[in-house]
Amino acid sequence: MSHQDNLIAEDILAYLEAQRNKSYLRCLTCGSVDDGKSTLIGRLLFDSKMIYEDQLSALENDSKKSGTQGEKIDLALLVDGLAAEREQGITIDVAYRFFSTDKRKFIIADTPGHIQYTRNMATGASTADLAIILIDARRGVLDQTRRHSYIASLLGIRNIVVAVNKMDLVEFSQHKFNEIEEEYRGFAEKLDFKEIVCIPMSALDGDNVMNRSERCKWYKGKSLMEHLETVDISQEVTQTSFRMPVQWVNRPNLDFRGYSGTIAAGQVKPGDEIIVIPSGKRSVVDKIVIRDGDLYQAEVNESVTITLRDEIDISRGDIICSTDDPAEQSDQFQANIIWMDEEAMFPGRQYIMKINNQTVPATVTDLKYKVNVNNFAHEAGKSLALNEVGVCNLSLGKPIPFDSYKKNRHTGAFILIDRQTNATIGAGMLDYSLRRAANVVWQDLEVGKVERANLKHQKPAVLWFTGLSGSGKSTIAGLLEKKLFDIGRHTYVLDGDNVRHGLNKDLGFTDADRVENIRRVAETSRLMVEAGLMVMVSFISPFRSERQMARNLMEDGEFIEVFVNTPLDVAEQRDVKGLYKKAREGKIKNFTGIDSPYEAPENPDIVVDTVDKTPEKAVEQILAYLEENGYLSAS
Amino acid sequence: MSLTHLELLEAESIHIMREVAAECENPVMLYSIGKDSSVMLHLALKAFYPSKPPFPLLHVDTTWKFREMIEFRDNLAKTLGLELLVHINEDGVKEGVGPFTHGSAYHTDVMKTQALKQALSKYKFDAAFGGARRDEEKSRAKERIFSFRSAQHRWDPKNQRPELWNIYNTRISKGESMRVFPMSNWTELDIWQYIHLENIQIPSLYYAAKRPVVERDGMIIMVDDDRVPLEPGEEPVEKMVRFRTLGCYPLTGAVESEATTLPDIIQETLLTTSSERQGRAIDKDSAASMEKKKQEGYF
Ligand SMILES: Nc1nc2c(ncn2[C@@H]2O[C@H](COP(=O)(O)OP(=O)(O)OP(=O)(O)O)[C@@H](O)[C@H]2O)c(=O)[nH]1
Ligand SMILES: [Mg+2]
C-alpha cells in the first residue's frame, strides 16, 4: 500500500485521522462474458498498489500456469479466486475486493458475465451504489449488457459508468467509441439512471483507468478513478422520515426493554414521537442506547437500540416509524421478482418470504408479465425461469409493514426461500399494495382445487384401474404409487381392501350394492382430486355405466381409465387368492367372470397387457402416458 | 452527515450478529484470540448491550498456541463474564500430534480443522461466527457472509446461496450449519484503525519486544516453551520481534520490528510490502489451498 506513503511515514496519527473521514463507495463491475470485468478490478488493485509483493509473485506464477495473456500477467487472476474459475478462465461467483485512494474507500464487487450466473450479478448489485458496465469495443452492446443494465436499474442503482474496454484492440477509435456510447444511451433512456458516464479504456494496459491515457487524446473526460473518487452518490433520498425495522428485542433484565435494529431511513432523537407498524401503537423515544453511553441522535444505516417511554408490545419484524409518514402495511402486493432457481417459479406455489427481519408464507397469485431484457417489452408467461424478471402479484400469510422499493431500498426489498431446500430462489422489490384505500373490498385468495394442486406441484387425476379379479390391478397400482411417491407426488390408492372394510362395509355383492360401491369410491376419489392428489382406484368395476358415471364426476383430463387386460383363463390360472376355485365350487356368488359379467372398456385411456408384461413394465407404460400427457411436469 | 466507512462497517457487523441471535437456535462465536477476534468480540459486546452476547465463545485449542494467548483468553472471558468453551482434539493429543513431529499440514488438519468439526458437532451449534475477512485471501473474497455448510461441514463454492441486500437466509435443515462472517467487508487497515479508535485490547504479542527466537525454514520462530527441538549446541537468540498474526507458535513467523505502540504497528503494517498471511506456513502450499481447506471444513 503506497498511497500517501509520505504521510504514513511522517505522521501516522495524521494519516489515521485523514483515513477516518474518508467517504465510502460500493460499486460493481458487470457486462457480458469476457468484456474484461475481472481484468479491470485486477488493474485497479494493481495500480492503487493494493497488491503485496508475495501476492504479485504468486500472480506471476499463476499467470504462466492458467493465464490468458501468454507471458504477460493476467490481472483477472487476482479476482477469480476459485479453482474452477481459474481453470475455465471465467468468473462464476461474485468476488468482493477492497481498495482505497487518498479520497475514498471502495468495495467493488466483480460479477460474472455468463448468463447462467446472472443471479450472482444481482447479488453484487443489490448493495452497490454505482455500476461499471463493461463493453468490449469490438463487440459493442450485447444482450448481457442490456440485461445487466436492466437489473442494475431495477435494483435501484442510479449511477452508471460505461467502460468501453479493449480500446487497444480497435486502435482507440473515437468513431467506434461514439457509436457504442450512442447505442448505449439510446436504450438506457428507458431505464431509471441518474447519470451515465462513458469512458474509453484498456483494462489490460491501464489506459484511462487510473490516469488519462496518452493513446486517446480525443477523450476529454475523466479517467475511471478520477470519476469514482468524485462521483456524487448521495442517492436522491426519497425517504427521510424515520423507520427502523425491529431486529431483536433486548431484555437483559426486567427493568430494561430495548428494541435493536438498523435504521432504514431518516433520523431519530429522544423525545421523538413514534408509531409501530402494523400494531399502530404510539409512544415516544426515551433513549438511544449504545455501549459507549446514550446517543443524542442516530441516523440511517446506524445499528442502535431504542427504548420507549411506554411499555407497548413490539416484536421482531415490526417497524418503528416516525408518526408523520409511517410505513404502510398490507398482505397483497405487486412486486418485481428476479428468479434465481433452476426450478421455475409458478403462480400458485407457496414460498417463504423474508422481508424486514421476518419470514412469512408468500404465494405468487399471478404473473402479470415477464420483462424481455433486450427490448424491455412486457411478455405474457406462465412461469419465470432462472434469471428471468417478472412483475407478479403476491399474497402473504399475514400483513407486513413495508415501503415501496422505489422509496426505500431497505424496507421494500425481499427474498424468496424454497420451503423444501431452504435455498434462496428469488429476489424481489415491492411496488405497491393491492389493497388500496379505494379498494376496500378486496378479494381474499380463495383456496381451490387449482391452488391446492399448485402447492403440491402436480396435476391431480384419478387413474381408474379396471379388470378381472387377479388381473394385477392392485399390484400395478401399488407399484405406480411408489414410483410417483419417489418423484415427490402426493398420491393415494383406493382399493377393495381399504374401502370394503370401512366406508363400504355395509355393502354386499348384489348388482345394486356393486353400483353403490363404485359410486362411493368415485365420489371419494373426486374429493381427493379436489384436494390435489393423484388417486389410484383399483376396483374390478365390471360395469361400463359406473365407470362412465365416475368419469362424469371429474373434469376433462382428470379421469384416466386403465384397463388391466388379463383374459379370464389366465386370471383363473393364477388365482392368487383362491377365489376362482371357490367361485367355481359355488362357494362365492356373483363372482365377476364366473357368474357375473365383466364389461371390458371400449375406449380405455391405457390398456396394459399382463400376459406378456411384468407389472414393472406396466408401470413404466403408465408413467410414460402420464409424462406424455403432462401429468408429471409440474402445474 | 453521513456515516464514515468505519461506522458503516460497524453497523453492518452488528446487524449480522443480531440476525444470528434472532434466528439461529444455538450460535457460537469462534474466538481465536487474534486481533480480528478481538474486534469481533468488541462488536458483539456493542451489538447486544446492555445484554451480554447471547452465545458462548469457542476456542479450538491446538495445544500449540502461544502461552500468552491462553492467558489473555482466560483473563478476558473472566473480566467480561462470558461463557468460554475450549475444545481440544484429544485423539490428536493421544497420538502426540504436533507441528514439529507431524508437519504443519497434518497438525493443522487434526488439531484445528478436525477439532473444530468435533466441537461443532459435539455442541450441535447451528451457526458459528468467524472473524475472517474477504481481503485476506482470494477464496475468502468469494464467500458469502452467511456461508452454508452441509452436515459434513463442507463448503460448496460453486453453489452458494445468492445473498442480496442485508437480508440473510438463515434457514437450514437438521445437521446443517452456517458459518457467519460479520467482518467480511473489513480490511486489515480497517481492523487496525478500529482497534486504535476504540481502544481494543489485543495480546502484547502484536507489539515488538525482546523475545527468544530461532530460525526455521526462513521463518523466525519464537521459543515459547521447551517443545522446540534445538540443534546440538543451538541457543535461542533474543531479538526485538512482533507478530502480524497469531496462531500456533511453531507455525507463526515473527517479524523483526521496533513497533511498540499501536500507531507504530499500523505504520509498519501500511509500509510493509508483504501480505499478513505470508507469515503463516499454512497458506503457502498452493494457490487453491485455502479453497480446498475450506471445502473440507477449515474455517
Ligand atoms: N486486449 C485487451 N484484452 C483485454 C482487456 N481487458 C481484458 N482483456 C482480456 O479479455 C479476457 C477476458 O477478461 P476477464 O477480465 O476475465 O473478463 P470478464 O469480463 O471478467 O469475464 P467473466 O467474468 O467470465 O464474464 C482476458 O483474456 C483478458 O486478458 C483489454 O483492455 N484489452
Ligand atoms: Mg470476470
Side-chain angles (χ1 to χ4, degrees):
Chain A
M1 295 192 205
S2 77
H3 51 276
Q4 289 199 346
D5 267 355
N6 300 337
L7 195 53
I8 295 171
E10 282 156 21
D11 187 351
I12 182 67
L13 290 175
Y15 171 79
L16 287 175
E17 194 52 34
Q19 286 288 315
R20 202 185 143 178
N21 296 316
K22 278 186 189 176
S23 63
Y24 205 31
L25 179 68
R26 293 188 74 133
C27 46
L28 81 153
T29 56
C30 54
S32 196
V33 183
D34 273 355
D35 283 352
K37 299 175 288 297
S38 303
T39 305
L40 176 62
I41 295 191
R43 169 57 66 187
L44 284 168
L45 290 169
F46 189 80
D47 285 356
S48 58
K49 310 275 186 329
M50 303 304 282
I51 309 298
Y52 290 115
E53 275 170 13
D54 54 314
Q55 293 170 331
L56 192 60
S57 72
L59 173 65
E60 279 161 4
N61 280 336
D62 287 353
S63 297
K64 287 196 190 106
K65 217 165 35 187
S66 47
T68 59
Q69 286 300 324
E71 283 300 298
K72 282 208 273 184
I73 57 170
D74 185 348
L75 291 165
L77 292 175
L78 281 173
V79 229
D80 288 334
L82 299 176
E85 295 178 325
R86 308 158 82 78
E87 280 154 20
Q88 298 169 46
I90 59 165
T91 305
I92 292 175
D93 211 333
V94 208
Y96 295 90
R97 302 307 302 242
F98 308 83
F99 60 94
S100 64
T101 67
D102 299 354
K103 300 196 180 67
R104 260 194 179 148
K105 293 229 167 193
F106 300 89
I107 293 191
I108 184 157
D110 179 35
T111 69
H114 278 253
I115 181 159
Q116 70 259 44
Y117 307 121
T118 302
R119 59 183 200 171
N120 295 334
M121 177 269 167
T123 290
S126 68
T127 50
D129 298 311
L130 178 145
I132 304 170
I133 295 182
L134 279 92
I135 298 178
D136 185 330
R138 299 167 304 172
R139 298 192 296 166
V141 175
L142 301 172
D143 281 5
Q144 272 304 78
T145 323
R146 283 185 282 261
R147 181 187 299 270
H148 282 183
S149 299
Y150 182 76
I151 292 175
S153 163
L154 193 62
L155 285 171
I157 296 177
R158 298 288 164 257
N159 288 281
I160 298 292
V161 174
V162 178
V164 181
N165 191 34
K166 307 197 186 181
M167 288 300 287
D168 55 306
L169 299 179
V170 295
E171 283 134 18
F172 287 88
S173 153
Q174 182 174 11
H175 176 67
K176 259 254 125 66
F177 175 79
N178 288 345
E179 239 174 41
I180 291 171
E181 167 156 19
E182 197 175 317
E183 186 181 356
Y184 189 88
R185 287 192 190 277
F187 92 85
E189 248 169 35
K190 299 188 201 118
L191 300 174
D192 219 356
F193 296 138
K194 188 181 85 181
E195 186 188 40
I196 300 172
V197 172
C198 299
I199 306 177
M201 211 176 281
S202 168
L204 189 70
D205 301 333
D207 299 78
N208 288 331
V209 176
M210 299 304 280
N211 302 308
R212 256 166 280 183
S213 166
E214 289 297 309
R215 296 203 278 180
C216 61
K217 291 222 161 64
W218 50 264
Y219 173 70
K220 302 289 178 234
K222 289 176 173 165
S223 74
L224 175 67
M225 186 46 84
E226 285 167 350
H227 178 65
L228 293 182
E229 278 186 322
T230 52
V231 59
D232 173 20
I233 39 134
S234 59
Q235 308 223 336
E236 294 103 288
V237 190
T238 32
Q239 190 158 55
T240 49
S241 43
F242 172 72
R243 55 229 327 84
M244 183 187 90
V246 173
Q247 200 184 5
W248 193 68
V249 180
N250 197 335
R251 291 228 72 184
N253 55 55
L254 291 177
D255 301 329
F256 186 94
R257 179 194 280 268
Y259 304 99
S260 302
T262 305
I263 300 176
Q267 50 186 31
V268 64
K269 287 197 276 298
D272 283 358
E273 281 185 36
I274 58 97
I275 180 168
V276 180
I277 308 293
S279 75
K281 297 219 171 69
R282 289 164 181 259
S283 184
V284 172
V285 175
D286 189 30
K287 286 180 179 157
I288 307 166
V289 181
I290 63 161
R291 192 158 170 258
D292 310 312
D294 294 347
L295 288 180
Y296 157 71
Q297 178 183 307
E299 65 179 287
V300 62
N301 293 324
E302 275 185 272
S303 293
V304 292
T305 297
I306 286 173
T307 61
L308 301 177
R309 299 240 173 103
D310 310 280
E311 281 233 346
I312 53 177
D313 191 26
I314 303 180
S315 24
R316 176 172 158 85
D318 293 348
I319 303 189
I320 300 178
C321 306
S322 70
T323 47
D324 45 299
D325 175 26
E328 299 175 65
Q329 59 169 304
S330 180
D331 58 359
Q332 311 250 327
F333 299 98
Q334 176 178 303
N336 275 279
I337 292 181
I338 304 176
W339 198 247
M340 302 183 153
D341 198 39
E342 315 276 330
E343 196 177 318
M345 182 211 81
F346 286 99
R349 289 202 181 157
Q350 205 183 53
Y351 304 107
I352 296 167
M353 176 190 278
K354 186 163 184 189
I355 178 166
N356 289 321
N357 306 330
Q358 66 174 321
T359 50
V360 281
T363 307
V364 177
T365 52
D366 187 21
L367 171 57
K368 299 179 83 173
Y369 56 84
K370 302 205 275 192
V371 178
N372 178 327
V373 293
N374 290 323
N375 52 19
F376 313 131
H378 298 177
E379 292 172 355
K382 287 202 161 59
S383 64
L384 271 189
L386 177 67
N387 298 321
E388 286 188 329
V389 178
V391 171
C392 305
N393 285 351
L394 287 162
S395 171
L396 310 192
K398 65 169 192 182
I400 53 148
F402 79 101
D403 290 297
S404 87
Y405 189 77
K406 284 230 160 68
K407 271 177 144 186
N408 192 316
R409 261 176 109 179
H410 299 290
T411 48
F414 63 89
I415 59 171
L416 293 174
I417 300 170
D418 186 276
R419 305 174 69 86
Q420 257 87 49
T421 64
N422 291 325
T424 303
I425 51 180
M429 290 130 281
L430 295 177
D431 285 341
Y432 51 79
S433 164
L434 294 174
R435 285 218 239 180
R436 271 159 294 180
N439 197 1
V440 187
V441 187
W442 55 285
Q443 285 191 319
D444 241 318
L445 171 67
E446 269 182 46
V447 180
K449 184 157 58 174
V450 175
E451 287 72 26
R452 292 188 204 99
N454 284 345
L455 184 61
K456 297 186 177 62
H457 304 183
Q458 65 187 25
K459 185 168 168 186
V462 176
L463 287 135
W464 192 283
F465 291 82
T466 173
L468 294 171
S469 172
S471 58
K473 298 181 298 296
S474 298
T475 312
I476 297 170
L479 282 173
L480 178 63
E481 179 176 43
K482 194 170 173 314
K483 283 275 186 225
L484 289 171
F485 182 87
D486 286 346
I487 56 172
R489 304 298 135 151
H490 298 246
T491 54
Y492 197 75
V493 173
L494 287 168
D495 73 14
D497 288 335
N498 57 15
V499 176
R500 279 270 179 199
H501 295 136
L503 180 63
N504 289 358
K505 75 175 165 204
D506 55 333
L507 301 178
F509 289 90
T510 63
D511 281 2
D513 278 1
R514 277 174 184 264
V515 171
E516 173 62 7
N517 183 35
I518 297 304
R519 190 193 67 80
R520 291 187 195 174
V521 170
E523 287 286 356
T524 306
S525 59
R526 184 181 68 86
L527 291 174
M528 289 184 162
V529 167
E530 291 261 16
L533 301 181
M534 303 194 78
V535 191
M536 279 139 276
V537 174
S538 145
F539 272 79
I540 300 171
S541 46
F543 306 128
R544 260 173 225 141
S545 56
E546 275 93 67
R547 296 196 299 261
Q548 188 58 45
M549 178 265 295
R551 185 187 285 274
N552 291 345
L553 284 175
M554 320 286 169
E555 286 182 32
D556 277 349
E558 285 178 344
F559 188 88
I560 304 165
E561 191 171 25
V562 185
F563 179 27
V564 184
N565 188 6
T566 308
L568 181 62
D569 54 315
V570 178
E572 190 168 2
Q573 210 183 341
R574 287 182 193 154
D575 205 9
V576 196
K577 299 176 193 159
L579 297 173
Y580 283 96
K581 187 157 172 277
K582 285 185 187 162
R584 289 281 182 206
E585 288 167 5
K587 290 181 188 155
I588 305 176
K589 290 263 169 280
N590 296 329
F591 195 77
T592 302
I594 308 296
D595 57 349
S596 183
Y598 177 76
E599 302 171 8
E602 286 173 334
N603 292 305
D605 300 288
I606 306 173
V607 184
V608 296
D609 170 2
T610 67
V611 181
D612 298 318
K613 268 191 199 158
T614 62
E616 282 76 11
K617 282 277 176 233
V619 167
E620 272 179 34
Q621 181 194 347
I622 298 169
L623 281 171
Y625 175 90
L626 293 176
E627 182 78 89
E628 254 171 50
N629 291 278
Y631 288 92
L632 297 184
S633 52
S635 58
Chain B
M1 247 314 277
S2 56
L3 305 184
T4 67
H5 86 278
L6 275 180
E7 287 167 336
L8 282 168
L9 287 171
E10 179 190 75
E12 180 183 65
S13 303
I14 289 176
H15 180 87
I16 293 161
M17 290 181 175
R18 287 173 175 170
E19 199 58 16
V20 170
E23 292 215 330
C24 299
E25 272 172 32
N26 190 19
V28 67
M29 178 168 279
L30 270 286
Y31 175 72
S32 69
I33 317 174
K35 63 179 194 310
D36 301 294
S37 284
S38 302
V39 168
M40 182 162 63
L41 181 55
H42 184 83
L43 289 165
L45 294 172
K46 283 195 156 188
F48 302 101
Y49 180 84
S51 296
K52 289 213 168 111
F55 39 75
L57 305 180
L58 170 67
H59 180 228
V60 175
D61 189 348
T62 61
T63 72
W64 290 87
K65 300 291 170 190
F66 291 91
R67 281 175 302 157
E68 196 207 307
M69 288 170 72
I70 304 300
E71 263 168 52
F72 183 89
R73 173 195 80 189
D74 293 343
N75 260 330
L76 194 73
K78 216 165 97 199
T79 326
L80 295 172
L82 297 178
E83 185 187 355
L84 169 72
L85 307 168
V86 175
H87 182 81
I88 295 175
N89 182 352
E90 296 298 343
D91 299 341
V93 173
K94 268 189 224 124
E95 215 188 304
V97 174
F100 292 121
T101 46
H102 293 72
S104 73
Y106 187 75
H107 165 76
T108 308
D109 181 52
V110 173
M111 298 309 286
K112 204 164 162 183
T113 308
Q114 300 306 327
L116 174 65
K117 288 199 258 182
Q118 280 173 358
L120 294 178
S121 303
K122 175 176 163 192
Y123 296 102
K124 301 200 166 46
F125 293 122
D126 59 347
F129 290 108
R133 308 184 317 265
R134 285 172 171 156
D135 80 325
E136 278 176 63
E137 198 271 334
K138 277 196 287 273
S139 67
R140 292 241 199 256
K142 293 271 168 186
E143 194 162 8
R144 300 285 188 260
I145 292 175
F146 282 66
S147 186
F148 176 82
R149 297 301 150 101
S150 69
Q152 291 73 42
H153 302 284
R154 290 184 72 90
W155 179 53
D156 182 359
K158 276 181 283 180
N159 197 15
Q160 303 193 81
R161 291 177 178 176
E163 189 167 82
L164 291 101
W165 300 287
N166 61 355
I167 309 177
Y168 302 106
N169 176 359
T170 62
R171 293 178 73 93
I172 50 172
S173 299
K174 217 173 145 44
E176 297 166 346
S177 60
M178 315 279 315
R179 306 276 168 95
V180 183
F181 303 106
M183 295 168 356
S184 288
N185 290 328
W186 294 59
T187 64
E188 191 184 8
L189 176 58
D190 297 330
I191 294 285
W192 282 119
Q193 203 166 1
Y194 192 70
I195 291 173
H196 175 60
L197 281 174
E198 300 270 313
N199 254 318
I200 299 171
Q201 286 286 315
I202 50 171
S204 62
L205 291 159
Y206 284 110
Y207 298 91
K210 282 228 176 303
R211 298 188 166 97
V213 298
V214 294
E215 200 160 305
R216 289 287 181 275
D217 298 329
M219 284 202 310
I220 304 176
I221 299 297
M222 176 169 161
V223 183
D224 194 47
D225 56 35
D226 56 14
R227 290 181 291 178
V228 183
L230 296 175
E231 307 286 314
E234 187 183 29
E235 281 288 328
V237 286
E238 292 274 314
K239 270 193 183 153
M240 198 65 181
V241 294
R242 61 177 210 89
F243 299 88
R244 289 182 67 189
T245 61
L246 298 183
C248 294
Y249 79 80
L251 299 175
T252 309
V255 290
E256 291 195 59
S257 166
E258 300 293 328
T260 53
T261 67
L262 200 55
D264 287 349
I265 294 177
I266 300 175
Q267 187 173 41
E268 201 178 275
T269 306
L270 290 175
L271 294 176
T272 184
T273 55
S274 63
S275 71
E276 67 180 319
R277 299 193 79 87
Q278 198 195 24
R280 291 192 198 175
I282 172 172
D283 291 338
K284 282 199 182 150
D285 310 356
S286 80
S289 76
M290 183 59 86
E291 179 181 345
K292 213 165 131 268
K293 283 198 193 70
K294 286 165 64 61
Q295 285 182 26
E296 286 159 5
Y298 184 78
F299 220 79

